[in-house]
Amino acid sequence: MQWRSLVVGLVVLRLSLSCLLWLAFGLGPGVSFGFNFHLSFNLHKLDLLFREEKGVESKGKTWSQQIQGKKYEETESTCAQAGQQPAPPRSYLGLFQGRQDEYVRRYSSFPESLKTKMKDMARDMFYFGYDNYMKYAFPKDELNPIDCEGRGPDVLNPSNININDVLGNYSLTLIDTLDTLLVLGNVSEFQKAVKLVIDTVSFDKDSTVQVFEANIRILGSLISAHILLTDPKHPFGEVSFEDYDNELLHLAHDLAVRLLPAFENTNTGIPYPRVNLKTGVPPDSINETCTAGAGSLLVEFGILSRLIGDSTFEWVARRAVRALWKLRSNETGLLGNVVNIQTGQWVGKQSGLGAGMDSFYEYLLKSYILFGEKEDYRMFQSAYESIQNHLRRGRESCNEGEGDPPLYVNVNMFNGEIMNTWIDSLQAFFPGLQVLNGDVDNAICLHAFYYAIWKRFGALPERYNWQLQAPDVLFYPLRPELVESTYLLYQATKNPFYLHVGMDILQSLEKNAKVRCGYATLHHVVDKSKEDRMESFFLSETCKYLYLLFDEDNPLHRSDNKYIFTTEGHVVPIDKRFRERKWSDLGPCEDGALRETGPATWQHSNTSNCDRIPEERRYALPLKSVYMRQIDHMVGLF
Ligand code: DMJ
C-alpha cells in the first residue's frame, strides 16, 4: 500500500512538474519571467523538432538552428515500431493557426480617407525637415535637427569618414532634395531650389569625399533634376524656366570630372574610394574599397555619358563593374565585400546583400533596365542565381510549405559557409529589387521579416541578430530601405497590407524621431535616444517613398510615364535616348569579358506581376497569416 502511494505520488509530482514546465515555456512571454528572447527562441528550436526531415541539408528549410552545431534527433525514427506506419510529421505551423483572423482584420483594407491622411502626413514630414534645413542649415550640407544648426564637413578631424565621406561643403541636402519637391508637386519651390543650386553651389572645394556618396547623392540628383526640367513629356507640368541653360548638367559634368582621378593609377580599374575635389586622390589613400562603392556608379555615369555624348564616364564605370565581376568566386559565383584595387585580392570575403554590396546588385539590374545592355542583365541574372543558391535559407516557397521563413544570410564568398548571424538594415532594399526582377513571391517574405523587426522596435536597428532575436548594432539613421521596398511591393501587388506598413513607419517616425527642427537619427532603437543628425537621404528617399506610397495619382504612376529610381531615390525616366545606341558602338570593344556567363537561362515572362499573383491572393494578405505570425514570433514579437 505504501509502495503504491509512493508510486502514485511520484507520478502526480512528475505530471505537475511537466505541467509547470509546459506553462512556463509553452505559453509565451506572459509567463517567461523576463527571459522572453531566450525562451521564445528555444521554443522555436523545439518547434523545429516537429518538422525536421531526415537528410535535410544545412542550407535547406531551417536557418535558425544551423549555426548551433547541434543535430536534432529524429524522435520519430527512434519511437516508431517496426511494421507500424510512422506518425505523420507534426507541423509546428499548426501552433500559429487560430489567431490568423487578427492579421486579416488588421491588414486587409485601407480606407481612402486614411490614405489621404497618410499622404498629408508624409508631406508634412518632408516639409518639417526641409523648411528647417533651409531656415537653419542652408548652405551647409546637413541639418542638426536637435540644435537647429547646420553641419558641414568635420575639418578638425579629417579621419571622421562617417561625416566627411558624405559632406563635401556643397549644400548636400538642398541638392539631394530637388526631385522630391517635384514629386510632391511643388513646382515653384523646385524652381527656387534649382536656381539656388545654380547660383551658390561650386565643387571647387578642398573636400575629400567618397566617390560613391558624391555620385549617388549629388551627381544623381543633378542629372535627375536636369532631365525632369527638360523632359519634353512634362510629366510634372511645365517645370522649366525661361533662362535655364543646362546649368545642372554642367554642374554634374564638373563634379564627374573631379571624380575621375579615382579611376587613374589603379591596376584593376576598380576606383579608389575617395577623392579630393580640388586635388584628386589623396597621397595617403588606402587601396581598399567596398564592392558597392566601386561598382555602383554605372547608372549616373552612364546617363551622364549618354546625355553629353562623352563615353569616358560610362567607360570607367563599366570597367570597374567588369573588373569586380571577374573577381567573383569560381565555386559560388559570389563576390566579397572589400577588395584591394591594386592586387584584386578580396580583403573582405563576406558575401551578403547589405552594407558593402547592396547597390552593386541593384545597379546591374537598373543599368540593364535603363540602357538595355544585355551584359548587365547577364551579370545580374547570374548574381541572382548565386544569391538564391548560397545566401537564401529557409523554406522553398514564401507562401507554401513548412520550414523557416526565407532569409538571406551572410556567407563566405568562396565556400558559402555562414559567417555570422546578423542581417543589416540596408538589406531591406532587396525586396524592392526582387520586385523589379519579377520575383514578387520572395520579395513578400523578405519584406515581411524586416517589417516584423520594425514593428518590434519602431525602427530598424542597423544590424539585427536573428539568432539572438536582438539588435547587434543599435542605431537607425532614418534609412529608407524598408519604405522603398514597401512602396515597390505596393505598386506590384496593390495590397492594402503595404499601406498599413507605410502608416506604421510614418507613425513610428513621428513618435520616435521627431525633434525640435526635424527628424533625428536614433542612437538606440530600444531606448530611443537620439543623435543630432538628419542625413540627406531622409528627405530624398524616406519621405519621397512614403509620400508616393499614398499618392496613387502621382504623375509617376501614370502608365504612360515610366520611371526608375536611382539608389538614392532620384527619379530618372526609362527613356529611348539612353537606349538608342549599344555600349559596343559607343565605347572601346572589350565586352568579350562578359560572354563567359553563357546564354541567359532565365526567360523573360510576358505576364505581368499581377498575372503571377493568384487571384485569391490579390486582395487578401500578401503572405498567409500563419506565416506572418510565424515571422512575428521569430523576431520576438510574442
Ligand atoms: C542611401 O544613401 C542609398 O540608398 C544607398 O544606396 C544606401 N544607403 C543610403 C540609405 O540608407
Side-chain angles (χ1 to χ4, degrees):
M1 192 62 180
Q2 267 182 348
W3 179 82
R4 265 206 203 154
S5 329
L6 194 66
V7 170
V8 171
L10 278 173
V11 169
V12 169
L13 194 69
R14 175 72 208 270
L15 281 173
S16 335
L17 201 65
S18 302
C19 254
L20 270 175
L21 281 172
W22 183 82
L23 276 171
F25 293 95
L27 289 184
V31 282
S32 64
F33 309 110
F35 297 108
N36 181 22
F37 295 172
H38 243 87
L39 291 185
S40 53
F41 183 68
N42 286 338
L43 173 64
H44 174 68
K45 283 195 293 188
L46 288 174
D47 293 337
L48 295 174
L49 286 175
F50 298 154
R51 58 162 170 79
E52 265 300 272
E53 284 167 28
K54 251 190 172 165
V56 170
E57 57 153 336
S58 63
K59 283 178 193 161
K61 299 182 204 168
T62 65
W63 45 260
S64 54
Q65 63 171 223
Q66 63 181 263
I67 49 113
Q68 307 291 308
K70 186 176 166 190
K71 275 258 169 275
Y72 290 91
E73 295 293 330
E74 275 284 338
T75 46
E76 180 192 285
S77 60
T78 50
C79 295
Q81 303 287 316
Q84 279 186 340
Q85 285 296 318
R90 287 166 65 197
S91 165
Y92 80 112
L93 290 173
L95 294 179
F96 299 123
Q97 267 150 2
R99 284 171 65 193
Q100 61 194 41
D101 284 349
E102 180 191 304
Y103 287 79
V104 176
R105 264 199 307 277
R106 183 162 171 201
Y107 293 123
S108 56
S109 66
F110 202 93
E112 278 304 312
S113 56
L114 195 53
K115 222 189 265 179
T116 311
K117 208 169 147 198
M118 290 303 117
K119 187 173 91 171
D120 294 347
M121 196 165 163
R123 186 199 283 115
D124 293 349
M125 179 174 277
F126 170 83
Y127 282 118
F128 188 60
Y130 175 78
D131 290 343
N132 280 315
Y133 164 76
M134 292 309 289
K135 185 167 171 195
Y136 296 108
F138 175 80
K140 293 245 175 85
D141 287 306
E142 280 179 1
L143 169 71
N144 288 352
I146 297 175
D147 284 350
C148 306
E149 278 175 356
R151 178 201 283 271
D154 187 351
V155 283
L156 297 177
N157 181 10
S159 64
N160 184 359
I161 52 173
N162 184 29
I163 297 293
N164 292 335
D165 271 358
V166 181
L167 280 60
N169 194 13
Y170 38 35
S171 303
L172 168 72
T173 301
L174 174 68
I175 298 180
D176 212 0
T177 296
L178 291 176
D179 64 330
T180 311
L181 290 166
L182 273 192
V183 167
L184 265 63
N186 194 341
V187 176
S188 58
E189 186 62 31
F190 170 74
Q191 292 176 331
K192 202 169 130 195
V194 168
K195 286 178 189 161
L196 208 50
V197 170
I198 293 172
D199 292 343
T200 61
V201 172
S202 154
F203 297 121
D204 194 26
K205 294 276 161 66
D206 182 18
S207 302
T208 298
V209 292
Q210 208 190 72
V211 176
F212 167 77
E213 296 289 359
N215 174 56
I216 65 167
R217 301 200 200 203
I218 302 283
L219 186 55
S221 182
L222 292 171
I223 291 170
S224 159
H226 167 76
I227 297 173
L228 296 173
L229 268 166
T230 54
D231 193 336
K233 282 163 72 190
H234 303 300
F236 295 101
E238 188 46 74
V239 300
S240 196
F241 43 90
E242 222 181 289
D243 46 354
Y244 179 67
D245 193 16
N246 300 325
E247 288 93 339
L248 295 186
L249 186 60
H250 295 311
L251 272 171
H253 186 196
D254 176 48
L255 176 62
V257 170
R258 291 170 193 274
L259 300 180
L260 279 182
F263 299 85
E264 290 161 18
N265 305 316
T266 130
N267 290 336
T268 57
I270 301 170
Y272 283 91
R274 297 181 181 87
V275 290
N276 181 290
L277 294 178
K278 252 190 204 293
T279 58
V281 176
D284 60 348
S285 175
I286 52 162
N287 282 320
E288 288 167 13
T289 185
C290 71
T291 304
S296 317
L297 307 164
L298 188 50
V299 164
E300 290 83 358
F301 276 42
I303 296 176
L304 180 66
S305 271
R306 289 166 193 244
L307 280 177
I308 63 176
D310 176 352
S311 59
T312 311
F313 305 99
E314 181 162 345
W315 188 78
V316 291
R318 270 191 189 282
R319 188 180 55 158
V321 174
R322 288 170 172 179
L324 284 163
W325 184 246
K326 273 192 187 160
L327 295 174
R328 72 195 183 282
S329 153
N330 289 332
E331 295 303 311
T332 63
L334 296 170
L335 291 85
N337 56 350
V338 182
V339 70
N340 184 305
I341 66 165
Q342 305 300 1
T343 63
Q345 295 291 311
W346 288 103
V347 182
K349 298 177 182 59
Q350 179 177 302
S351 200
L353 300 175
M357 307 222 52
D358 47 0
S359 46
F360 173 76
Y361 298 121
E362 181 182 353
Y363 271 22
L364 292 179
L365 184 58
K366 289 188 175 173
S367 298
Y368 171 67
I369 293 170
L370 274 172
F371 308 129
E373 297 290 341
K374 291 209 179 71
E375 73 164 5
D376 297 333
Y377 187 67
R378 253 183 255 131
M379 285 187 279
F380 176 78
Q381 183 235 341
S382 159
Y384 197 75
E385 218 171 281
S386 302
I387 288 167
Q388 294 297 99
N389 287 338
H390 298 284
L391 269 55
R392 189 185 184 283
R393 305 294 153 99
R395 65 175 173 268
E396 232 161 78
S397 165
C398 169
N399 239 324
E400 296 293 337
E402 296 264 320
D404 290 345
L407 201 68
Y408 294 83
V409 298
N410 298 314
V411 303
N412 180 306
M413 64 174 281
F414 293 110
N415 56 26
E417 272 172 24
I418 196 161
M419 283 186 77
N420 47 52
T421 56
W422 50 260
I423 50 174
D424 67 14
S425 147
L426 289 162
Q427 198 204 116
F429 90 101
F430 199 68
L433 190 64
Q434 293 182 305
V435 167
L436 288 192
N437 191 37
D439 189 358
V440 179
D441 205 51
N442 272 310
I444 286 171
C445 255
L446 184 58
H447 174 275
F449 201 91
Y450 274 98
Y451 174 48
I453 303 174
W454 182 284
K455 275 195 287 187
R456 188 168 148 203
F457 299 104
L460 280 188
E462 188 70 356
R463 281 184 189 170
Y464 172 78
N465 191 314
W466 45 261
Q467 186 194 34
L468 301 176
Q469 296 186 326
D472 264 358
V473 178
L474 284 147
F475 68 90
Y476 169 65
L478 311 172
R479 289 195 190 283
E481 285 74 10
L482 180 62
V483 195
E484 174 185 352
S485 289
T486 306
Y487 164 66
L488 290 163
L489 268 161
Y490 181 64
Q491 287 300 312
T493 62
K494 292 286 165 183
N495 195 302
F497 169 75
Y498 296 106
L499 299 174
H500 284 277
V501 176
M503 180 166 76
D504 217 350
I505 293 174
L506 263 172
Q507 287 170 340
S508 333
L509 286 170
E510 282 296 317
K511 184 166 163 231
N512 301 325
K514 192 169 188 176
V515 291
R516 191 150 65 108
C517 291
Y519 295 82
T521 292
L522 289 188
H523 175 68
H524 194 294
V525 293
V526 178
D527 70 18
K528 309 290 189 283
S529 55
K530 295 172 185 60
E531 288 172 27
D532 199 3
R533 187 166 186 201
M534 185 177 87
E535 292 235 29
S536 64
F537 52 67
F538 175 67
L539 297 180
S540 78
E541 292 192 79
T542 312
C543 291
K544 181 188 283 152
Y545 288 126
L546 278 168
Y547 181 80
L548 280 172
L549 176 65
F550 295 105
D551 188 25
E552 300 269 6
D553 300 328
N554 196 278
L556 291 185
H557 298 149
R558 285 208 309 262
S559 59
D560 49 336
N561 292 329
K562 296 202 170 13
Y563 289 88
I564 198 166
F565 298 90
T566 69
T567 191
E568 185 72 3
H570 296 305
V571 178
V572 285
I574 300 171
D575 190 320
K576 262 210 326 264
R577 269 186 301 174
F578 305 139
R579 302 169 77 99
E580 260 159 14
R581 296 173 66 189
K582 288 209 167 314
W583 174 242
S584 48
D585 305 332
L586 280 168
C589 184
E590 52 159 340
D591 61 346
L594 291 155
R595 295 265 182 265
E596 67 205 63
T597 49
T601 50
W602 188 83
Q603 296 294 311
H604 277 280
S605 162
N606 55 8
T607 55
S608 73
N609 282 332
C610 276
D611 294 333
R612 266 182 226 133
I613 299 167
E615 181 73 33
E616 73 277 8
R617 268 177 50 203
R618 278 187 214 168
Y619 301 107
L621 294 172
L623 184 62
K624 288 177 189 156
S625 29
V626 65
Y627 294 125
M628 287 207 178
R629 193 163 165 72
Q630 177 198 26
I631 290 176
D632 284 355
H633 175 65
M634 289 183 80
V635 304
L637 273 167
F638 65 91

